[in-house]
């Protein structure tokens, strides 16, 4: 009796089927989120003039600017994972994104730490 065991080939076939279903069911998101990512990239150009990096404000500005530059890449990765059916893996990155926002908020309030 031949059994169909999971394999890399199975993974690829499953991924293709999920991509097809994703484009059918969440096509609106897939077609519009590039505009959202473009907006996120643009915000990194408007973070203002920074103080010297050895000051609390300058240090926070550098930290925040770096995180703002990472966010579009993380959102793109989350979207690719969801479209391909890697939902658990996407939630790990989503949690990371949430942690970035919490860190930004915390360090904004406590710049002198």
């Amino acid at each position: 009796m031949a059994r169909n065991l999971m394999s890399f080939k199975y993974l690829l076939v499953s991924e293709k089927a999920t991509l097809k279903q994703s484009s059918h069911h969440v096509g609106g998101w897939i077609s519009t989120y590039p505009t959202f990512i473009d907006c996120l990239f643009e915000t990194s150009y408007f973070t203002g003039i920074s103080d010297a990096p050895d000051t609390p404000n300058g240090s926070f500005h550098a930290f925040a600017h770096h995180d703002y530059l990472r966010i579009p890449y993380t959102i793109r990765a989350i979207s690719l994972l969801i479209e391909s059916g890697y939902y658990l893996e996407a939630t790990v990155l989503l949690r990371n994104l949430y942690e970035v926002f919490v860190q930004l908020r915390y360090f904004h309030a406590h710049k002198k730490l």
Side-chain angles (χ1 to χ4, degrees):
M1 174 193 293
R3 296 188 303 186
N4 292 329
L5 300 176
M6 283 194 237
S7 64
F8 186 70
K9 183 179 176 182
Y10 168 83
L11 178 71
L12 294 177
V13 169
S14 174
E15 189 176 295
K16 279 186 180 182
T18 304
L19 277 166
K20 185 176 180 180
Q21 287 295 317
S22 294
S23 65
H24 175 70
H25 291 288
V26 291
W29 164 254
I30 292 170
S31 65
T32 58
Y33 87 93
T35 303
F36 176 64
I37 288 178
D38 285 343
C39 290
L40 289 171
F41 274 125
E42 287 179 25
T43 62
S44 66
Y45 292 105
F46 300 103
T47 56
I49 298 171
S50 176
D51 293 345
D54 58 346
T55 65
N57 279 337
S59 178
F60 173 74
H61 186 273
F63 173 77
H65 186 74
H66 176 266
D67 279 344
Y68 283 133
L69 289 174
R70 269 187 338 128
I71 290 170
Y73 294 96
T74 303
I75 290 174
R76 170 75 172 143
I78 290 168
S79 183
L80 289 172
L81 288 169
I82 289 172
E83 291 169 29
S84 301
Y86 299 105
Y87 309 116
L88 181 60
E89 291 77 7
T91 61
V92 172
L93 285 179
L94 193 59
R95 178 184 169 136
N96 175 263
L97 195 59
Y98 178 71
E99 290 170 355
V100 165
F101 289 129
V102 169
Q103 285 177 354
L104 285 170
R105 215 172 143 147
Y106 178 82
F107 289 123
H108 182 263
H110 302 91
K111 292 179 188 171
K112 294 188 180 192
L113 291 178

